[in-house]
Amino acid sequence: MRLSWSNPAVRAMVYQIVAVALVVLAVVTLVSNTRSNLNALNIQSGFGFLDAEAGFAIGETPIAYGPQDTYAKAIAVGLLNTLRVAAIGIVLATLLGTLIGIARLSKNWLIGKLASGYVELFRNVPLLLQLFFWYSLITENTPGPRQAVALLPGVFVSNRGIKLPLPAEALAFDLALGGFALAIVASLVFAHWARRRRDTAGKAPPVGRWVVAMLVGFPVLGWLAGGAPLALDMPRLQGFDFVGGATLTPEFAALLVGLVIYTAAFIAEVVRSGIQSVNAGQWEAAEAIGLRRGAALRLVVLPQALRVIIPPMTNQYLNITKNSSLAVAIGYPDIVSVVNTTLNQTGQAIEGILIIMAAYLVVSLTISVLMNWYNRRMALTER
Protein backbone atom coordinates (compact mmCIF):
# COMPACT_ATOMS: atom_id res chain seq x y z
CA MET A 1 0.00 0.00 0.00
CA ARG A 2 1.41 3.40 -1.02
CA LEU A 3 1.83 5.63 2.09
CA SER A 4 0.44 8.84 0.69
CA TRP A 5 -2.13 11.25 2.13
CA SER A 6 -3.99 11.07 -1.16
CA ASN A 7 -4.60 7.37 -0.51
CA PRO A 8 -8.08 6.98 1.10
CA ALA A 9 -6.97 3.87 3.04
CA VAL A 10 -4.08 5.79 4.63
CA ARG A 11 -6.32 8.69 5.60
CA ALA A 12 -8.88 6.30 7.09
CA MET A 13 -6.18 4.58 9.16
CA VAL A 14 -4.81 7.91 10.43
CA TYR A 15 -8.28 9.12 11.40
CA GLN A 16 -8.94 5.91 13.33
CA ILE A 17 -5.62 6.12 15.16
CA VAL A 18 -6.31 9.74 16.11
CA ALA A 19 -9.85 8.89 17.27
CA VAL A 20 -8.60 5.99 19.43
CA ALA A 21 -5.85 8.21 20.90
CA LEU A 22 -8.38 10.90 21.81
CA VAL A 23 -10.66 8.35 23.49
CA VAL A 24 -7.75 6.90 25.49
CA LEU A 25 -6.64 10.41 26.49
CA ALA A 26 -10.16 11.28 27.64
CA VAL A 27 -10.42 8.10 29.71
CA VAL A 28 -7.01 8.62 31.32
CA THR A 29 -7.86 12.23 32.15
CA LEU A 30 -11.21 11.24 33.64
CA VAL A 31 -9.70 8.47 35.77
CA SER A 32 -6.87 10.74 36.94
CA ASN A 33 -9.22 13.55 37.94
CA THR A 34 -11.53 11.10 39.71
CA ARG A 35 -8.68 9.59 41.73
CA SER A 36 -7.40 13.05 42.66
CA ASN A 37 -10.85 14.15 43.84
CA LEU A 38 -11.37 10.96 45.85
CA ASN A 39 -7.99 11.38 47.53
CA ALA A 40 -8.78 15.01 48.33
CA LEU A 41 -12.06 13.91 49.98
CA ASN A 42 -10.27 11.01 51.76
CA ILE A 43 -12.59 8.45 50.11
CA GLN A 44 -11.16 5.01 49.48
CA SER A 45 -12.13 3.59 46.10
CA GLY A 46 -12.77 -0.07 45.40
CA PHE A 47 -15.43 -2.70 45.96
CA GLY A 48 -14.25 -3.93 49.34
CA PHE A 49 -17.34 -2.41 50.97
CA LEU A 50 -19.46 -5.19 49.43
CA ASP A 51 -18.27 -7.57 52.17
CA ALA A 52 -19.30 -5.23 54.99
CA GLU A 53 -22.56 -5.54 56.93
CA ALA A 54 -25.38 -3.67 55.20
CA GLY A 55 -27.30 -2.73 58.33
CA PHE A 56 -30.60 -1.91 56.60
CA ALA A 57 -33.73 -3.92 55.93
CA ILE A 58 -35.41 -4.52 52.56
CA GLY A 59 -39.17 -4.71 52.31
CA GLU A 60 -39.37 -7.43 49.64
CA THR A 61 -36.80 -10.21 49.62
CA PRO A 62 -37.15 -13.14 47.20
CA ILE A 63 -34.24 -14.77 49.03
CA ALA A 64 -33.43 -14.88 52.74
CA TYR A 65 -31.95 -11.53 53.78
CA GLY A 66 -31.48 -9.58 57.00
CA PRO A 67 -29.77 -6.32 58.05
CA GLN A 68 -26.80 -8.36 59.27
CA ASP A 69 -26.07 -9.57 55.72
CA THR A 70 -23.54 -7.94 53.42
CA TYR A 71 -24.00 -5.15 50.91
CA ALA A 72 -23.35 -7.69 48.16
CA LYS A 73 -26.34 -9.76 49.23
CA ALA A 74 -28.51 -6.65 49.55
CA ILE A 75 -27.63 -5.66 45.97
CA ALA A 76 -28.38 -9.22 44.83
CA VAL A 77 -31.85 -8.91 46.41
CA GLY A 78 -32.41 -5.64 44.55
CA LEU A 79 -31.32 -7.22 41.27
CA LEU A 80 -33.66 -10.19 41.78
CA ASN A 81 -36.53 -7.79 42.48
CA THR A 82 -35.76 -5.97 39.22
CA LEU A 83 -35.59 -9.23 37.26
CA ARG A 84 -38.82 -10.46 38.79
CA VAL A 85 -40.89 -7.41 37.85
CA ALA A 86 -39.22 -7.21 34.42
CA ALA A 87 -39.82 -10.88 33.58
CA ILE A 88 -43.47 -10.87 34.68
CA GLY A 89 -44.00 -7.50 33.02
CA ILE A 90 -42.60 -8.69 29.68
CA VAL A 91 -44.94 -11.69 29.60
CA LEU A 92 -48.07 -9.75 30.62
CA ALA A 93 -47.30 -6.74 28.39
CA THR A 94 -46.76 -9.04 25.41
CA LEU A 95 -50.11 -10.78 25.94
CA LEU A 96 -52.03 -7.56 26.57
CA GLY A 97 -50.32 -5.64 23.78
CA THR A 98 -50.93 -8.44 21.27
CA LEU A 99 -54.64 -8.58 22.13
CA ILE A 100 -55.01 -4.81 21.83
CA GLY A 101 -53.02 -4.69 18.60
CA ILE A 102 -55.31 -7.31 17.06
CA ALA A 103 -58.36 -5.54 18.48
CA ARG A 104 -57.37 -2.32 16.70
CA LEU A 105 -57.80 -4.17 13.41
CA SER A 106 -61.17 -5.62 14.37
CA LYS A 107 -64.07 -5.07 11.97
CA ASN A 108 -66.22 -4.34 15.03
CA TRP A 109 -66.36 -0.53 15.28
CA LEU A 110 -66.68 -0.42 19.08
CA ILE A 111 -63.80 -2.84 19.75
CA GLY A 112 -61.53 -1.01 17.31
CA LYS A 113 -62.27 2.41 18.83
CA LEU A 114 -61.80 1.16 22.40
CA ALA A 115 -58.43 -0.34 21.48
CA SER A 116 -57.40 2.89 19.73
CA GLY A 117 -58.46 4.94 22.75
CA TYR A 118 -56.41 2.71 25.04
CA VAL A 119 -53.30 3.17 22.92
CA GLU A 120 -53.66 6.94 22.61
CA LEU A 121 -54.39 7.40 26.31
CA PHE A 122 -51.71 5.30 27.97
CA ARG A 123 -49.01 5.87 25.37
CA ASN A 124 -49.17 9.64 25.83
CA VAL A 125 -49.30 9.80 29.64
CA PRO A 126 -45.81 9.74 31.27
CA LEU A 127 -45.02 6.43 32.93
CA LEU A 128 -43.95 8.07 36.19
CA LEU A 129 -47.33 9.80 36.46
CA GLN A 130 -49.07 6.47 35.83
CA LEU A 131 -47.04 4.82 38.59
CA PHE A 132 -48.07 7.54 41.05
CA PHE A 133 -51.69 7.09 39.99
CA TRP A 134 -51.75 3.31 40.47
CA TYR A 135 -49.82 3.50 43.75
CA SER A 136 -52.16 6.12 45.22
CA LEU A 137 -55.17 4.18 43.94
CA ILE A 138 -54.02 1.07 45.81
CA THR A 139 -52.83 2.71 49.03
CA GLU A 140 -55.38 5.52 49.40
CA ASN A 141 -58.57 3.92 48.12
CA THR A 142 -58.45 0.51 49.76
CA PRO A 143 -59.33 -0.13 53.43
CA GLY A 144 -56.91 -0.97 56.21
CA PRO A 145 -56.15 -4.55 57.25
CA ARG A 146 -58.96 -4.66 59.82
CA GLN A 147 -61.50 -3.73 57.16
CA ALA A 148 -59.84 -5.72 54.36
CA VAL A 149 -62.05 -6.88 51.51
CA ALA A 150 -62.25 -10.68 51.22
CA LEU A 151 -62.43 -11.45 47.51
CA LEU A 152 -62.23 -15.21 48.07
CA PRO A 153 -61.62 -17.41 51.10
CA GLY A 154 -58.09 -16.56 52.20
CA VAL A 155 -57.69 -13.70 49.66
CA PHE A 156 -57.76 -10.24 51.25
CA VAL A 157 -57.27 -6.80 49.71
CA SER A 158 -56.15 -3.86 51.84
CA ASN A 159 -53.81 -0.90 51.67
CA ARG A 160 -51.03 -3.27 52.74
CA GLY A 161 -51.43 -5.26 49.53
CA ILE A 162 -53.11 -8.49 48.52
CA LYS A 163 -52.78 -11.48 50.84
CA LEU A 164 -52.93 -14.93 49.25
CA PRO A 165 -52.87 -18.46 50.72
CA LEU A 166 -49.84 -20.66 50.12
CA PRO A 167 -49.34 -24.44 50.32
CA ALA A 168 -48.19 -25.37 53.80
CA GLU A 169 -45.71 -27.93 52.47
CA ALA A 170 -42.79 -26.17 50.78
CA LEU A 171 -41.56 -29.32 49.00
CA ALA A 172 -44.83 -29.89 47.13
CA PHE A 173 -44.95 -26.20 46.18
CA ASP A 174 -41.35 -26.29 44.90
CA LEU A 175 -42.03 -29.45 42.89
CA ALA A 176 -45.14 -27.88 41.39
CA LEU A 177 -43.14 -24.81 40.34
CA GLY A 178 -40.48 -27.08 38.90
CA GLY A 179 -43.16 -28.95 37.00
CA PHE A 180 -44.51 -25.68 35.59
CA ALA A 181 -41.02 -24.64 34.43
CA LEU A 182 -40.53 -28.07 32.86
CA ALA A 183 -43.93 -27.73 31.15
CA ILE A 184 -42.87 -24.43 29.57
CA VAL A 185 -39.68 -25.99 28.18
CA ALA A 186 -41.57 -29.07 26.98
CA SER A 187 -44.22 -26.87 25.33
CA LEU A 188 -41.57 -24.92 23.40
CA VAL A 189 -39.90 -28.14 22.24
CA PHE A 190 -43.24 -29.70 21.27
CA ALA A 191 -44.33 -26.57 19.36
CA HIS A 192 -41.03 -26.58 17.46
CA TRP A 193 -41.44 -30.27 16.60
CA ALA A 194 -45.07 -29.73 15.53
CA ARG A 195 -44.04 -26.85 13.26
CA ARG A 196 -41.33 -28.97 11.64
CA ARG A 197 -43.82 -31.82 11.16
CA ARG A 198 -46.36 -29.48 9.57
CA ASP A 199 -43.71 -28.18 7.18
CA THR A 200 -42.59 -31.68 6.16
CA ALA A 201 -45.75 -33.83 6.41
CA GLY A 202 -48.41 -31.16 5.90
CA LYS A 203 -50.18 -31.91 9.19
CA ALA A 204 -49.44 -31.58 12.89
CA PRO A 205 -51.04 -32.56 16.21
CA PRO A 206 -53.19 -29.98 18.06
CA VAL A 207 -50.49 -27.89 19.74
CA GLY A 208 -52.84 -25.84 21.92
CA ARG A 209 -54.42 -28.85 23.61
CA TRP A 210 -51.08 -30.49 24.34
CA VAL A 211 -49.59 -27.28 25.69
CA VAL A 212 -52.54 -26.74 28.04
CA ALA A 213 -52.33 -30.37 29.15
CA MET A 214 -48.62 -30.03 29.97
CA LEU A 215 -49.01 -26.66 31.72
CA VAL A 216 -51.69 -28.17 33.95
CA GLY A 217 -50.48 -31.75 34.22
CA PHE A 218 -46.80 -31.25 35.09
CA PRO A 219 -47.46 -29.00 38.13
CA VAL A 220 -50.14 -31.46 39.32
CA LEU A 221 -47.64 -34.32 39.01
CA GLY A 222 -45.11 -32.30 41.03
CA TRP A 223 -47.74 -31.63 43.67
CA LEU A 224 -48.61 -35.34 43.80
CA ALA A 225 -44.91 -36.26 44.06
CA GLY A 226 -44.60 -33.92 47.05
CA GLY A 227 -47.28 -35.82 48.93
CA ALA A 228 -50.33 -33.99 47.56
CA PRO A 229 -50.78 -31.82 50.67
CA LEU A 230 -54.15 -30.13 51.00
CA ALA A 231 -53.25 -27.90 53.93
CA LEU A 232 -52.77 -24.23 53.11
CA ASP A 233 -50.97 -21.48 54.99
CA MET A 234 -53.92 -19.09 55.20
CA PRO A 235 -53.36 -15.39 55.93
CA ARG A 236 -55.00 -14.31 59.17
CA LEU A 237 -55.42 -10.99 60.91
CA GLN A 238 -53.14 -10.57 63.91
CA GLY A 239 -52.93 -7.19 65.56
CA PHE A 240 -52.81 -4.47 62.94
CA ASP A 241 -51.79 -6.62 59.96
CA PHE A 242 -52.09 -10.05 58.39
CA VAL A 243 -49.63 -12.86 59.06
CA GLY A 244 -49.08 -16.01 57.03
CA GLY A 245 -49.64 -16.64 53.35
CA ALA A 246 -48.07 -14.63 50.55
CA THR A 247 -48.23 -10.88 50.01
CA LEU A 248 -48.49 -8.92 46.80
CA THR A 249 -47.30 -5.52 48.05
CA PRO A 250 -48.78 -2.22 46.80
CA GLU A 251 -45.36 -1.16 45.50
CA PHE A 252 -44.89 -4.29 43.40
CA ALA A 253 -48.50 -4.24 42.18
CA ALA A 254 -48.40 -0.55 41.21
CA LEU A 255 -45.06 -0.93 39.40
CA LEU A 256 -46.16 -4.06 37.55
CA VAL A 257 -49.53 -2.63 36.51
CA GLY A 258 -47.96 0.64 35.38
CA LEU A 259 -45.22 -1.03 33.35
CA VAL A 260 -47.59 -3.53 31.73
CA ILE A 261 -50.30 -1.02 30.79
CA TYR A 262 -47.80 1.56 29.50
CA THR A 263 -45.64 -0.84 27.50
CA ALA A 264 -48.64 -2.76 26.13
CA ALA A 265 -49.75 0.41 24.33
CA PHE A 266 -46.48 0.47 22.38
CA ILE A 267 -46.50 -3.29 21.79
CA ALA A 268 -50.03 -2.98 20.41
CA GLU A 269 -48.78 -0.60 17.73
CA VAL A 270 -45.91 -2.93 16.91
CA VAL A 271 -48.30 -5.86 16.50
CA ARG A 272 -50.78 -3.81 14.47
CA SER A 273 -48.12 -2.56 12.07
CA GLY A 274 -46.68 -6.06 11.72
CA ILE A 275 -50.05 -7.53 10.79
CA GLN A 276 -50.76 -4.73 8.33
CA SER A 277 -47.39 -5.33 6.66
CA VAL A 278 -48.60 -8.74 5.46
CA ASN A 279 -50.06 -8.60 1.97
CA ALA A 280 -53.84 -8.67 1.84
CA GLY A 281 -53.59 -11.57 -0.59
CA GLN A 282 -52.51 -13.81 2.29
CA TRP A 283 -55.87 -13.23 3.99
CA GLU A 284 -57.67 -14.02 0.75
CA ALA A 285 -55.62 -17.17 0.20
CA ALA A 286 -56.38 -18.36 3.73
CA GLU A 287 -60.09 -17.76 3.22
CA ALA A 288 -59.94 -19.56 -0.12
CA ILE A 289 -58.77 -22.78 1.55
CA GLY A 290 -61.56 -22.56 4.14
CA LEU A 291 -59.77 -21.00 7.14
CA ARG A 292 -61.78 -18.75 9.38
CA ARG A 293 -60.45 -15.32 10.23
CA GLY A 294 -59.06 -16.37 13.60
CA ALA A 295 -57.31 -19.42 12.16
CA ALA A 296 -56.00 -17.38 9.24
CA LEU A 297 -54.54 -14.84 11.64
CA ARG A 298 -52.90 -17.51 13.80
CA LEU A 299 -51.63 -19.85 11.09
CA VAL A 300 -50.95 -17.60 8.11
CA VAL A 301 -50.68 -13.91 8.97
CA LEU A 302 -48.97 -13.81 12.38
CA PRO A 303 -46.08 -16.14 11.41
CA GLN A 304 -45.28 -13.77 8.55
CA ALA A 305 -45.85 -10.65 10.66
CA LEU A 306 -43.37 -11.88 13.29
CA ARG A 307 -40.50 -11.02 10.96
CA VAL A 308 -41.58 -7.39 11.20
CA ILE A 309 -42.70 -7.51 14.84
CA ILE A 310 -39.64 -9.05 16.53
CA PRO A 311 -37.02 -6.25 16.03
CA PRO A 312 -39.13 -3.39 17.50
CA MET A 313 -40.49 -5.78 20.12
CA THR A 314 -36.92 -6.19 21.37
CA ASN A 315 -36.78 -2.46 22.02
CA GLN A 316 -39.98 -2.65 24.08
CA TYR A 317 -38.58 -5.48 26.20
CA LEU A 318 -35.47 -3.41 26.84
CA ASN A 319 -37.63 -0.41 27.70
CA ILE A 320 -39.73 -2.31 30.22
CA THR A 321 -36.54 -3.52 31.92
CA LYS A 322 -34.93 -0.09 32.07
CA ASN A 323 -38.17 1.69 33.00
CA SER A 324 -38.39 -0.53 36.08
CA SER A 325 -35.77 1.80 37.58
CA LEU A 326 -38.65 4.24 38.21
CA ALA A 327 -39.59 1.89 41.06
CA VAL A 328 -37.55 4.08 43.40
CA ALA A 329 -40.29 6.73 43.08
CA ILE A 330 -42.90 4.50 44.76
CA GLY A 331 -40.64 2.68 47.18
CA TYR A 332 -40.20 -0.69 45.46
CA PRO A 333 -36.73 -2.04 46.42
CA ASP A 334 -35.22 -2.64 42.99
CA ILE A 335 -31.51 -2.52 42.30
CA VAL A 336 -31.48 1.28 41.88
CA SER A 337 -33.18 1.80 45.24
CA VAL A 338 -30.90 -0.64 47.07
CA VAL A 339 -27.71 0.74 45.51
CA ASN A 340 -28.81 4.29 46.34
CA THR A 341 -29.15 3.31 49.99
CA THR A 342 -25.77 1.58 49.82
CA LEU A 343 -23.89 4.51 48.37
CA ASN A 344 -25.55 6.91 50.83
CA GLN A 345 -24.20 4.82 53.70
CA THR A 346 -20.76 4.05 52.28
CA GLY A 347 -20.03 7.09 50.12
CA GLN A 348 -18.96 4.77 47.27
CA ALA A 349 -20.93 6.67 44.64
CA ILE A 350 -18.78 5.76 41.65
CA GLU A 351 -18.78 2.07 42.49
CA GLY A 352 -22.53 2.15 43.07
CA ILE A 353 -23.18 3.75 39.68
CA LEU A 354 -20.89 1.23 38.02
CA ILE A 355 -22.82 -1.64 39.63
CA ILE A 356 -26.13 -0.29 38.34
CA MET A 357 -24.70 0.27 34.87
CA ALA A 358 -23.20 -3.23 34.76
CA ALA A 359 -26.45 -4.85 35.94
CA TYR A 360 -28.61 -3.15 33.33
CA LEU A 361 -25.97 -3.72 30.65
CA VAL A 362 -25.85 -7.47 31.31
CA VAL A 363 -29.65 -7.80 31.43
CA SER A 364 -30.14 -5.72 28.28
CA LEU A 365 -27.49 -7.61 26.34
CA THR A 366 -29.01 -10.93 27.42
CA ILE A 367 -32.44 -9.87 26.17
CA SER A 368 -30.91 -8.60 22.92
CA VAL A 369 -29.00 -11.85 22.34
CA LEU A 370 -32.09 -13.99 22.93
CA MET A 371 -34.31 -11.84 20.72
CA ASN A 372 -31.70 -11.66 17.95
CA TRP A 373 -31.39 -15.44 18.06
CA TYR A 374 -35.16 -15.79 17.75
CA ASN A 375 -35.23 -13.20 14.97
CA ARG A 376 -32.64 -15.17 12.99
CA ARG A 377 -34.70 -18.33 13.37
CA MET A 378 -37.81 -16.56 12.07
CA ALA A 379 -36.05 -14.78 9.20
CA LEU A 380 -36.52 -15.98 5.63
CA THR A 381 -33.52 -17.88 4.30
CA GLU A 382 -32.67 -18.13 0.65
CA ARG A 383 -32.35 -21.62 -0.77
Side-chain angles (χ1 to χ4, degrees):
M1 181 178 63
R2 186 167 58 90
L3 298 179
S4 173
W5 187 252
S6 60
N7 190 333
V10 173
R11 291 200 305 271
M13 183 179 299
V14 172
Y15 291 149
Q16 294 179 45
I17 293 174
V18 172
V20 171
L22 290 175
V23 171
V24 172
L25 178 62
V27 172
V28 170
T29 303
L30 179 62
V31 172
S32 177
N33 289 340
T34 302
R35 291 177 62 88
S36 299
N37 293 334
L38 290 177
N39 291 333
L41 296 173
N42 197 26
I43 297 178
Q44 297 294 326
S45 61
F47 294 91
F49 71 94
L50 293 175
D51 295 327
E53 181 179 315
F56 62 88
I58 299 178
E60 296 189 44
T61 55
I63 59 176
Y65 169 82
Q68 71 280 359
D69 289 317
T70 62
Y71 285 113
K73 191 168 185 178
I75 293 173
V77 170
L79 178 59
L80 289 176
N81 283 336
T82 296
L83 294 176
R84 179 175 62 169
V85 73
I88 299 176
I90 285 173
V91 174
L92 296 181
T94 301
L95 296 176
L96 180 60
T98 301
L99 290 176
I100 295 173
I102 295 173
R104 286 205 67 181
L105 301 174
S106 174
K107 294 182 178 180
N108 185 294
W109 182 88
L110 179 61
I111 294 177
K113 291 301 180 182
L114 288 175
S116 299
Y118 173 94
V119 171
E120 296 302 327
L121 173 62
F122 291 105
R123 189 177 60 170
N124 293 295
V125 176
L127 175 57
L128 184 59
L129 184 59
Q130 294 189 39
L131 294 182
F132 286 143
F133 170 78
W134 293 115
Y135 183 67
S136 62
L137 183 67
I138 295 173
T139 57
E140 302 296 335
N141 294 276
T142 51
R146 289 182 176 273
Q147 295 80 33
V149 178
L151 298 179
L152 295 170
V155 180
F156 300 95
V157 178
S158 70
N159 56 11
R160 303 290 180 87
I162 302 175
K163 297 295 295 186
L164 304 168
L166 277 179
E169 294 292 335
L171 177 59
F173 183 64
D174 292 339
L175 290 177
L177 285 178
F180 184 73
L182 181 61
I184 293 176
V185 175
S187 298
L188 294 175
V189 173
F190 180 76
H192 176 71
W193 172 81
R195 185 167 56 251
R196 293 285 298 272
R197 180 175 175 81
R198 184 177 64 244
D199 294 340
T200 56
K203 59 180 180 178
V207 177
R209 298 176 185 176
W210 281 99
V211 168
V212 172
M214 287 187 286
L215 291 177
V216 174
F218 284 15
V220 171
L221 290 177
W223 173 70
L224 293 174
L230 297 177
L232 295 176
D233 181 14
M234 303 291 289
R236 58 192 182 279
L237 185 64
Q238 181 174 317
F240 295 99
D241 202 356
F242 286 95
V243 296
T247 304
L248 181 64
T249 64
E251 293 79 12
F252 177 81
L255 178 63
L256 182 62
V257 170
L259 287 174
V260 168
I261 289 179
Y262 178 75
T263 309
F266 291 90
I267 292 178
E269 288 296 272
V270 171
V271 173
R272 179 187 63 82
S273 61
I275 293 175
Q276 289 183 323
S277 69
V278 179
N279 191 283
Q282 298 296 316
W283 289 98
E284 297 170 357
E287 293 175 359
I289 61 175
L291 292 179
R292 295 183 177 180
R293 186 171 179 82
L297 176 65
R298 179 170 55 88
L299 299 175
V300 178
V301 177
L302 273 182
Q304 299 180 66
L306 279 177
R307 301 182 180 98
V308 178
I309 291 173
I310 292 173
M313 189 76 81
T314 303
N315 291 333
Q316 298 308 320
Y317 291 168
L318 295 176
N319 287 338
I320 201 172
T321 303
K322 291 181 287 187
N323 287 339
S324 66
S325 60
L326 294 174
V328 66
I330 57 175
Y332 179 71
D334 72 326
I335 188 171
V336 175
S337 176
V338 173
V339 172
N340 281 341
T341 303
T342 299
L343 63 87
N344 286 333
Q345 292 188 179
T346 62
Q348 307 291 336
I350 296 177
E351 291 82 357
I353 297 299
L354 289 176
I355 290 173
I356 295 175
M357 291 172 59
Y360 280 108
L361 179 64
V362 171
V363 174
S364 297
L365 289 179
T366 302
I367 294 174
S368 298
V369 169
L370 293 176
M371 292 300 292
N372 288 335
W373 170 81
Y374 185 60
N375 187 39
R376 287 193 300 269
R377 289 187 59 85
M378 297 302 298
L380 291 173
T381 56
E382 297 183 0
R383 296 184 181 274

